[in-house]
mmCIF file of all heavy atoms in Angstrom:
data_model
loop_
_atom_site.group_PDB
_atom_site.id
_atom_site.type_symbol
_atom_site.label_atom_id
_atom_site.label_comp_id
_atom_site.label_asym_id
_atom_site.label_seq_id
_atom_site.Cartn_x
_atom_site.Cartn_y
_atom_site.Cartn_z
ATOM 1 N N LYS A 137 142.432 106.963 261.021
ATOM 2 C CA LYS A 137 141.498 107.593 260.099
ATOM 3 C C LYS A 137 142.129 107.763 258.685
ATOM 4 O O LYS A 137 141.570 107.611 257.727
ATOM 5 C CB LYS A 137 141.056 108.926 260.620
ATOM 6 C CG LYS A 137 139.781 109.473 260.037
ATOM 7 C CD LYS A 137 139.231 110.687 260.815
ATOM 8 C CE LYS A 137 137.991 111.194 260.192
ATOM 9 N NZ LYS A 137 137.440 112.387 260.880
ATOM 10 N N MET A 138 143.493 108.092 258.687
ATOM 11 C CA MET A 138 144.192 108.150 257.413
ATOM 12 C C MET A 138 144.238 106.833 256.737
ATOM 13 O O MET A 138 144.137 106.707 255.514
ATOM 14 C CB MET A 138 145.627 108.726 257.706
ATOM 15 C CG MET A 138 146.581 108.618 256.561
ATOM 16 S SD MET A 138 145.995 109.665 255.127
ATOM 17 C CE MET A 138 146.390 111.336 255.734
ATOM 18 N N CYS A 139 144.415 105.717 257.525
ATOM 19 C CA CYS A 139 144.477 104.351 256.923
ATOM 20 C C CYS A 139 143.125 104.089 256.211
ATOM 21 O O CYS A 139 143.147 103.552 255.111
ATOM 22 C CB CYS A 139 144.713 103.348 258.037
ATOM 23 S SG CYS A 139 146.372 103.345 258.704
ATOM 24 N N ASP A 140 142.050 104.388 256.889
ATOM 25 C CA ASP A 140 140.700 104.151 256.294
ATOM 26 C C ASP A 140 140.578 104.964 254.956
ATOM 27 O O ASP A 140 140.053 104.370 254.040
ATOM 28 C CB ASP A 140 139.635 104.594 257.242
ATOM 29 C CG ASP A 140 139.491 103.669 258.425
ATOM 30 O OD1 ASP A 140 139.950 102.561 258.343
ATOM 31 O OD2 ASP A 140 138.889 104.145 259.440
ATOM 32 N N THR A 141 141.036 106.133 255.017
ATOM 33 C CA THR A 141 140.944 107.016 253.777
ATOM 34 C C THR A 141 141.812 106.468 252.642
ATOM 35 O O THR A 141 141.342 106.390 251.513
ATOM 36 C CB THR A 141 141.366 108.464 254.123
ATOM 37 O OG1 THR A 141 140.553 109.041 255.155
ATOM 38 C CG2 THR A 141 141.391 109.377 252.892
ATOM 39 N N LEU A 142 143.086 106.080 252.964
ATOM 40 C CA LEU A 142 143.925 105.535 251.891
ATOM 41 C C LEU A 142 143.413 104.232 251.360
ATOM 42 O O LEU A 142 143.418 103.985 250.156
ATOM 43 C CB LEU A 142 145.328 105.249 252.492
ATOM 44 C CG LEU A 142 146.135 106.488 252.922
ATOM 45 C CD1 LEU A 142 147.465 106.088 253.538
ATOM 46 C CD2 LEU A 142 146.402 107.422 251.692
ATOM 47 N N ASN A 143 142.790 103.390 252.182
ATOM 48 C CA ASN A 143 142.192 102.179 251.747
ATOM 49 C C ASN A 143 140.991 102.412 250.802
ATOM 50 O O ASN A 143 140.840 101.779 249.747
ATOM 51 C CB ASN A 143 141.719 101.356 252.984
ATOM 52 C CG ASN A 143 141.254 99.950 252.597
ATOM 53 O OD1 ASN A 143 141.848 99.267 251.792
ATOM 54 N ND2 ASN A 143 140.095 99.655 253.111
ATOM 55 N N LEU A 144 140.057 103.281 251.265
ATOM 56 C CA LEU A 144 138.925 103.617 250.387
ATOM 57 C C LEU A 144 139.320 104.200 249.048
ATOM 58 O O LEU A 144 138.845 103.827 248.034
ATOM 59 C CB LEU A 144 137.998 104.573 251.130
ATOM 60 C CG LEU A 144 137.230 104.043 252.311
ATOM 61 C CD1 LEU A 144 136.513 105.139 253.102
ATOM 62 C CD2 LEU A 144 136.216 102.956 251.862
ATOM 63 N N LYS A 145 140.348 105.078 249.078
ATOM 64 C CA LYS A 145 140.847 105.686 247.853
ATOM 65 C C LYS A 145 141.452 104.633 246.959
ATOM 66 O O LYS A 145 141.235 104.612 245.718
ATOM 67 C CB LYS A 145 141.951 106.738 248.240
ATOM 68 C CG LYS A 145 142.516 107.464 247.000
ATOM 69 C CD LYS A 145 141.560 108.352 246.323
ATOM 70 C CE LYS A 145 142.169 109.129 245.194
ATOM 71 N NZ LYS A 145 141.192 109.934 244.397
ATOM 72 N N PHE A 146 142.268 103.712 247.546
ATOM 73 C CA PHE A 146 142.927 102.674 246.745
ATOM 74 C C PHE A 146 141.860 101.778 246.064
ATOM 75 O O PHE A 146 141.949 101.482 244.912
ATOM 76 C CB PHE A 146 143.804 101.780 247.666
ATOM 77 C CG PHE A 146 144.704 100.889 246.916
ATOM 78 C CD1 PHE A 146 146.015 101.244 246.535
ATOM 79 C CD2 PHE A 146 144.295 99.611 246.550
ATOM 80 C CE1 PHE A 146 146.830 100.400 245.864
ATOM 81 C CE2 PHE A 146 145.081 98.718 245.872
ATOM 82 C CZ PHE A 146 146.378 99.157 245.492
ATOM 83 N N MET A 147 140.899 101.321 246.825
ATOM 84 C CA MET A 147 139.902 100.400 246.274
ATOM 85 C C MET A 147 139.018 101.033 245.256
ATOM 86 O O MET A 147 138.736 100.443 244.248
ATOM 87 C CB MET A 147 139.046 99.832 247.430
ATOM 88 C CG MET A 147 139.787 98.915 248.400
ATOM 89 S SD MET A 147 138.807 98.405 249.835
ATOM 90 C CE MET A 147 137.582 97.315 249.091
ATOM 91 N N ALA A 148 138.759 102.348 245.437
ATOM 92 C CA ALA A 148 137.920 103.048 244.467
ATOM 93 C C ALA A 148 138.655 103.375 243.204
ATOM 94 O O ALA A 148 138.128 103.151 242.064
ATOM 95 C CB ALA A 148 137.459 104.377 245.102
ATOM 96 N N GLU A 149 139.928 103.764 243.286
ATOM 97 C CA GLU A 149 140.690 104.081 242.101
ATOM 98 C C GLU A 149 141.032 102.859 241.287
ATOM 99 O O GLU A 149 140.965 102.788 240.070
ATOM 100 C CB GLU A 149 142.041 104.759 242.489
ATOM 101 C CG GLU A 149 141.900 106.232 242.903
ATOM 102 C CD GLU A 149 141.717 107.152 241.745
ATOM 103 O OE1 GLU A 149 142.337 106.908 240.667
ATOM 104 O OE2 GLU A 149 140.924 108.061 241.850
ATOM 105 N N VAL A 150 141.436 101.754 242.014
ATOM 106 C CA VAL A 150 141.887 100.555 241.327
ATOM 107 C C VAL A 150 140.630 99.685 240.806
ATOM 108 O O VAL A 150 140.762 98.888 239.997
ATOM 109 C CB VAL A 150 142.822 99.756 242.185
ATOM 110 C CG1 VAL A 150 143.199 98.402 241.573
ATOM 111 C CG2 VAL A 150 144.042 100.515 242.600
ATOM 112 N N GLN A 151 139.486 100.031 241.485
ATOM 113 C CA GLN A 151 138.289 99.266 241.155
ATOM 114 C C GLN A 151 138.522 97.781 241.558
ATOM 115 O O GLN A 151 138.362 96.862 240.771
ATOM 116 C CB GLN A 151 137.907 99.381 239.708
ATOM 117 C CG GLN A 151 137.454 100.681 239.307
ATOM 118 C CD GLN A 151 136.065 101.114 239.872
ATOM 119 O OE1 GLN A 151 135.031 100.598 239.491
ATOM 120 N NE2 GLN A 151 136.008 101.999 240.851
ATOM 121 N N THR A 152 138.850 97.537 242.792
ATOM 122 C CA THR A 152 139.147 96.223 243.358
ATOM 123 C C THR A 152 138.360 96.076 244.677
ATOM 124 O O THR A 152 138.135 97.028 245.397
ATOM 125 C CB THR A 152 140.595 95.955 243.552
ATOM 126 O OG1 THR A 152 140.826 94.695 244.013
ATOM 127 C CG2 THR A 152 141.197 96.964 244.493
ATOM 128 N N THR A 153 138.058 94.822 245.002
ATOM 129 C CA THR A 153 137.450 94.541 246.336
ATOM 130 C C THR A 153 138.472 94.156 247.324
ATOM 131 O O THR A 153 138.214 93.911 248.518
ATOM 132 C CB THR A 153 136.462 93.332 246.187
ATOM 133 O OG1 THR A 153 137.121 92.223 245.662
ATOM 134 C CG2 THR A 153 135.238 93.748 245.283
ATOM 135 N N LYS A 154 139.784 94.023 246.926
ATOM 136 C CA LYS A 154 140.868 93.636 247.819
ATOM 137 C C LYS A 154 141.572 94.908 248.318
ATOM 138 O O LYS A 154 142.344 95.557 247.572
ATOM 139 C CB LYS A 154 141.874 92.710 247.061
ATOM 140 C CG LYS A 154 141.236 91.430 246.518
ATOM 141 C CD LYS A 154 140.742 90.510 247.678
ATOM 142 C CE LYS A 154 139.906 89.419 247.171
ATOM 143 N NZ LYS A 154 140.584 88.518 246.311
ATOM 144 N N GLY A 155 141.280 95.191 249.547
ATOM 145 C CA GLY A 155 141.862 96.390 250.188
ATOM 146 C C GLY A 155 143.199 96.231 250.707
ATOM 147 O O GLY A 155 143.815 95.132 250.623
ATOM 148 N N LEU A 156 143.633 97.237 251.514
ATOM 149 C CA LEU A 156 144.970 97.194 252.166
ATOM 150 C C LEU A 156 144.827 96.318 253.426
ATOM 151 O O LEU A 156 143.786 96.344 254.046
ATOM 152 C CB LEU A 156 145.420 98.579 252.537
ATOM 153 C CG LEU A 156 145.488 99.586 251.309
ATOM 154 C CD1 LEU A 156 146.065 100.961 251.821
ATOM 155 C CD2 LEU A 156 146.430 99.007 250.237
ATOM 156 N N LEU A 157 145.966 95.658 253.768
ATOM 157 C CA LEU A 157 145.980 94.809 254.967
ATOM 158 C C LEU A 157 146.779 95.512 256.082
ATOM 159 O O LEU A 157 147.475 96.496 255.861
ATOM 160 C CB LEU A 157 146.627 93.489 254.624
ATOM 161 C CG LEU A 157 146.015 92.751 253.416
ATOM 162 C CD1 LEU A 157 146.884 91.545 253.078
ATOM 163 C CD2 LEU A 157 144.607 92.370 253.714
ATOM 164 N N LYS A 158 146.719 94.987 257.281
ATOM 165 C CA LYS A 158 147.372 95.622 258.451
ATOM 166 C C LYS A 158 148.881 95.704 258.231
ATOM 167 O O LYS A 158 149.487 96.671 258.680
ATOM 168 C CB LYS A 158 147.004 94.921 259.767
ATOM 169 C CG LYS A 158 147.530 93.514 259.886
ATOM 170 C CD LYS A 158 147.081 92.961 261.307
ATOM 171 C CE LYS A 158 147.655 91.624 261.485
ATOM 172 N NZ LYS A 158 147.300 91.026 262.818
ATOM 173 N N GLU A 159 149.448 94.703 257.557
ATOM 174 C CA GLU A 159 150.896 94.787 257.288
ATOM 175 C C GLU A 159 151.236 95.888 256.291
ATOM 176 O O GLU A 159 152.277 96.484 256.294
ATOM 177 C CB GLU A 159 151.427 93.442 256.828
ATOM 178 C CG GLU A 159 150.730 92.828 255.658
ATOM 179 C CD GLU A 159 149.710 91.783 256.083
ATOM 180 O OE1 GLU A 159 149.044 92.012 257.200
ATOM 181 O OE2 GLU A 159 149.530 90.755 255.419
ATOM 182 N N HIS A 160 150.236 96.236 255.357
ATOM 183 C CA HIS A 160 150.453 97.328 254.441
ATOM 184 C C HIS A 160 150.451 98.703 255.210
ATOM 185 O O HIS A 160 151.229 99.530 254.979
ATOM 186 C CB HIS A 160 149.373 97.370 253.409
ATOM 187 C CG HIS A 160 149.325 96.117 252.561
ATOM 188 N ND1 HIS A 160 148.214 95.578 251.934
ATOM 189 C CD2 HIS A 160 150.342 95.340 252.068
ATOM 190 C CE1 HIS A 160 148.538 94.510 251.200
ATOM 191 N NE2 HIS A 160 149.844 94.374 251.266
ATOM 192 N N TYR A 161 149.464 98.799 256.188
ATOM 193 C CA TYR A 161 149.376 99.970 256.939
ATOM 194 C C TYR A 161 150.650 100.242 257.802
ATOM 195 O O TYR A 161 151.113 101.348 258.002
ATOM 196 C CB TYR A 161 148.154 99.946 257.923
ATOM 197 C CG TYR A 161 146.836 99.927 257.259
ATOM 198 C CD1 TYR A 161 145.873 99.009 257.674
ATOM 199 C CD2 TYR A 161 146.515 100.777 256.217
ATOM 200 C CE1 TYR A 161 144.607 98.992 257.030
ATOM 201 C CE2 TYR A 161 145.315 100.773 255.637
ATOM 202 C CZ TYR A 161 144.316 99.863 256.099
ATOM 203 O OH TYR A 161 143.076 99.809 255.452
ATOM 204 N N PHE A 162 151.234 99.071 258.306
ATOM 205 C CA PHE A 162 152.471 99.193 259.072
ATOM 206 C C PHE A 162 153.582 99.777 258.222
ATOM 207 O O PHE A 162 154.343 100.691 258.681
ATOM 208 C CB PHE A 162 152.847 97.817 259.599
ATOM 209 C CG PHE A 162 153.991 97.778 260.546
ATOM 210 C CD1 PHE A 162 154.098 98.719 261.560
ATOM 211 C CD2 PHE A 162 154.986 96.783 260.417
ATOM 212 C CE1 PHE A 162 155.160 98.731 262.457
ATOM 213 C CE2 PHE A 162 156.042 96.804 261.401
ATOM 214 C CZ PHE A 162 156.131 97.717 262.311
ATOM 215 N N PHE A 163 153.775 99.233 257.033
ATOM 216 C CA PHE A 163 154.775 99.850 256.075
ATOM 217 C C PHE A 163 154.519 101.276 255.799
ATOM 218 O O PHE A 163 155.458 102.119 255.819
ATOM 219 C CB PHE A 163 154.818 98.989 254.802
ATOM 220 C CG PHE A 163 155.564 99.690 253.652
ATOM 221 C CD1 PHE A 163 156.965 99.698 253.703
ATOM 222 C CD2 PHE A 163 154.924 100.287 252.623
ATOM 223 C CE1 PHE A 163 157.659 100.318 252.704
ATOM 224 C CE2 PHE A 163 155.643 100.946 251.619
ATOM 225 C CZ PHE A 163 157.046 100.917 251.628
ATOM 226 N N LEU A 164 153.226 101.694 255.504
ATOM 227 C CA LEU A 164 152.891 103.028 255.171
ATOM 228 C C LEU A 164 153.104 103.979 256.396
ATOM 229 O O LEU A 164 153.608 105.099 256.208
ATOM 230 C CB LEU A 164 151.480 103.129 254.771
ATOM 231 C CG LEU A 164 151.127 102.460 253.410
ATOM 232 C CD1 LEU A 164 149.614 102.393 253.176
ATOM 233 C CD2 LEU A 164 151.843 103.157 252.248
ATOM 234 N N ALA A 165 152.931 103.435 257.638
ATOM 235 C CA ALA A 165 153.229 104.270 258.826
ATOM 236 C C ALA A 165 154.691 104.470 258.933
ATOM 237 O O ALA A 165 155.140 105.645 259.247
ATOM 238 C CB ALA A 165 152.635 103.537 260.035
#
């Protein structure tokens, strides 16, 4: 659920359609 939140926040703030990938989530975890 945290991953979904960080992804939505990132895409909204940066104004991009390219979200975080599973390897990004792995690093963040």
